[in-house]
Amino acid sequence: MAPAGAKKSILERLDAGELVIGDGGFVFALEKRGYVKAGPWTPEAAAEYPEAVRQLHREFLRAGSNVMQTFTFYASDDKLENRGNTQRFTGQQINEAACDLAREVANEGDALVAGGVSQTPSYLSCKSEEDVKAIFKKQIDVFVKKNVDFLIAEYFEHVEEAEWAVQVLKTTGKPVAATLCIGPEGDLNGVSPGECAVRLVKAGAQIVGINCHFDPETCVKTVKLMKEGVEKAGLKAHYMSQPLGFHTPDCNRQGFIDLPEFPFALEPRILTRWDMQKYAREAYNAGIRFIGGCCGFEPYHIRALAEELSPERGFLPAGSEKHGNWGDGLALHTKPWVRARARRDYWETLKPASGRPFCPSMSKPDGWGVTKGHADLMQQREATSKEQLKILFDKANQND
């Protein structure tokens, strides 16, 4: 039990059946705001533009999140220096700054701080287990020093690398969550979601689930498969879901990065706040109790999750002060036809138009069919050369 006045831990909350609302997608949100570069997607903004990261944390807190994830996605040294990406800050400086910002904002509410690690270029380039684990160890040394509340291994396409990450995170003695960026077909080596979950639990994760790469519907479906696998194996775990804020019914095994719109033309796919309420309810009904979001999730999306689940949580988020239930604030509008939209049945059944009459509703994903070990996925510290790009351009044209 937590001492009087202390915050309950992540496991105390989940063990008690409480709902935990995660935060949203920092890399996409900050890229749109001008603080992250698309391509490397690295989080140097934590040290370079701390005011931007702090503000986004605050917006998610106000929207109802009670987990502040450190902005440490892709903050391993090998990723920070990959393909000519130059840095003014070391990985340690970025990780430490991210921990400080998350803790500062978490202390403004009933939020916990989660330190996160993610997949590495070293694994894709077939480096040894020892080498990959050393990269994770360097990051978690900072998390231990900064005393984060729990740890998340997130965004792994291969369960093997996620297992290695969990094994390293477990050495801290802190609670560990692990999420893969896979769909119902399994990881990129064909390991099923159920088997992936069993392996993560056996490696030491107390919370398992899915993040990124797919939309909420697909992610909830995949977490259900993970839950079935864990229960069939006679194991126990808590479950989490942090999907994309984009509709992706046309994705293949690789997820949204194979869509031709990735990453600069995904806006027509953004989920509405009402889509998010549907997701929150479906996740809850599936037995998922850690419900958040990833790329594409903005604070108003998280607010929608918190509002939908307010009966179970027993309260509304602070951000609902400026948001009427199911649009009832529109009753204050000057135009009568807009006032007529101040009702749940209108928004719950609306089929939004895209305003793009010559655009398809679905895309044809790229399907290069490469993963760890393929020459195309070998990473390098040097910048990608013009010659290397030409080879890729020619290959892309052949696949069109």
Side-chain angles (χ1 to χ4, degrees):
M1 290 289 291
K7 295 178 182 179
K8 286 191 285 186
S9 72
I10 186 68
L11 293 180
E12 285 175 324
R13 297 177 192 215
L14 293 172
D15 288 344
E18 292 183 25
L19 272 164
V20 174
I21 303 293
D23 56 10
F26 269 66
V27 282
F28 265 55
L30 289 171
E31 191 277 332
K32 287 181 170 65
R33 290 158 169 79
Y35 299 104
V36 165
K37 178 182 277 190
W41 304 109
T42 46
E44 53 270 24
E48 192 174 18
Y49 300 106
E51 70 284 354
V53 178
R54 181 186 295 110
Q55 176 62 24
L56 190 54
H57 275 307
R58 282 194 173 128
E59 290 179 22
F60 282 122
L61 182 71
R62 178 173 169 80
S65 173
N66 45 12
V67 173
M68 299 289 106
Q69 280 190 237
T70 58
F71 185 37
T72 52
F73 176 78
Y74 274 168
S76 60
D77 285 339
D78 63 335
K79 186 64 174 78
L80 291 168
E81 299 172 351
N82 195 46
R83 295 197 172 275
N85 191 30
T86 56
Q87 294 291 342
R88 293 195 292 117
F89 303 93
T90 65
Q92 181 172 340
Q93 287 174 317
I94 293 168
N95 284 287
E96 287 186 351
C99 288
D100 290 342
L101 291 167
R103 177 63 68 191
E104 177 187 347
V105 177
N107 285 346
E108 296 172 5
D110 185 34
L112 301 173
V113 175
V117 301
S118 45
Q119 66 183 11
T120 64
S122 292
Y123 181 82
L124 283 180
S125 298
C126 300
K127 296 289 181 66
S128 70
E129 178 179 349
E130 182 181 4
D131 287 342
V132 174
K133 284 185 170 181
I135 291 168
F136 296 137
K137 177 66 166 59
K138 197 168 181 181
Q139 275 191 277
I140 69 163
D141 284 346
V142 175
F143 298 148
V144 170
K145 174 184 173 183
K146 294 295 184 178
N147 196 29
V148 301
D149 298 306
F150 69 103
L151 299 164
I152 302 179
E154 69 167 359
Y155 195 79
F156 286 87
E157 296 169 309
H158 304 86
V159 68
E160 180 183 58
E161 187 183 14
E163 286 178 287
W164 295 352
V166 169
Q167 289 162 4
V168 175
L169 299 185
K170 282 298 291 182
T171 64
T172 66
K174 294 180 179 294
V176 174
T179 55
L180 305 175
C181 49
I182 66 172
E185 295 179 63
D187 84 345
L188 294 191
N189 286 328
V191 182
S192 72
E195 178 60 22
C196 284
V198 168
R199 288 171 61 171
L200 292 174
V201 172
K202 287 182 175 179
Q206 294 114 323
I207 309 163
V208 295
I210 299 296
N211 85 293
C212 207
H213 273 208
F214 296 92
D215 59 23
E217 182 177 353
T218 305
C219 287
V220 170
K221 179 180 179 181
T222 308
V223 176
K224 285 182 181 178
L225 295 173
M226 297 178 90
K227 189 170 183 284
E228 289 172 7
V230 170
E231 291 173 351
K232 186 176 180 180
L235 301 172
K236 290 185 178 181
H238 296 291
Y239 300 93
M240 66 184 290
S241 173
Q242 301 212 104
L244 296 174
F246 306 107
H247 291 286
T248 62
D250 42 353
C251 276
N252 56 22
R253 182 192 293 266
Q254 184 76 66
F256 82 139
I257 61 174
D258 273 12
L259 293 175
E261 299 92 350
F262 176 87
F264 297 128
L266 289 165
E267 284 81 358
R269 294 173 175 266
I270 293 174
L271 275 75
T272 69
R273 63 195 70 196
W274 317 119
D275 293 327
M276 291 299 180
Q277 293 205 202
K278 180 182 177 184
Y279 152 54
R281 185 54 54 194
E282 290 178 348
Y284 181 83
N285 290 342
I288 301 168
R289 293 297 180 265
F290 188 147
I291 303 172
C294 199
C295 299
F297 265 70
E298 291 283 345
Y300 75 95
H301 289 131
I302 294 297
R303 182 179 63 189
L305 306 185
E307 289 181 342
E308 173 64 28
L309 297 170
S310 61
E312 287 78 12
R313 298 179 87 203
F315 60 92
L316 287 166
S320 292
E321 172 194 356
K322 298 294 185 182
H323 187 242
N325 186 38
W326 287 99
D328 65 13
L330 297 180
L332 304 175
H333 203 278
T334 57
K335 303 295 190 290
W337 56 90
V338 178
R339 292 199 297 274
R341 299 171 191 161
R343 52 196 167 94
R344 176 172 182 163
D345 63 319
Y346 176 85
W347 295 110
E348 203 165 33
T349 59
L350 181 70
K351 290 181 169 52
S354 70
R356 296 173 180 269
F358 303 109
C359 290
S361 61
M362 306 265 242
S363 295
K364 180 183 177 183
D366 288 327
W368 287 23
V370 300
T371 187
K372 179 200 173 188
H374 192 282
D376 285 352
L377 281 181
M378 292 298 173
Q379 303 302 305
Q380 62 190 47
R381 189 167 182 175
E382 301 77 28
T384 306
S385 69
K386 291 182 179 179
E387 292 75 18
Q388 289 174 318
L389 283 174
K390 184 179 184 305
I391 292 171
L392 296 178
F393 296 158
D394 291 343
K395 185 173 181 178
N397 289 333
Q398 292 170 8
N399 290 338
D400 286 344

